[in-house]
Amino acid sequence: MDYAAMYRQAMADGATDYAMTIVTSARQAAEAEAITPEDIAALVAEVKANPPQ
């Protein structure tokens, strides 16, 4: 699952609540070791580049 792309699209759509849900889901997936460190890094970079207002 491409969390960074999903976050980017949610922010582009102005759906900040959904974007935060995506971040929460990614955090849970990371805790379960279900996503790669690269996926986490990509999401972190996306959030830093386009933070919620």
Side-chain angles (χ1 to χ4, degrees):
M1 191 170 290
D2 189 345
Y3 290 100
M6 291 174 20
Y7 177 88
R8 186 179 318 111
Q9 185 61 51
M11 292 302 288
D13 293 343
T16 55
D17 288 344
Y18 182 57
M20 297 293 41
T21 299
I22 293 165
V23 170
T24 299
S25 294
R27 182 185 53 79
Q28 292 170 342
E31 289 173 355
E33 298 179 3
I35 60 175
T36 66
E38 292 81 11
D39 290 335
I40 296 166
L43 177 59
V44 168
E46 189 63 40
V47 172
K48 285 183 177 180
N50 193 11
Q53 300 298 319

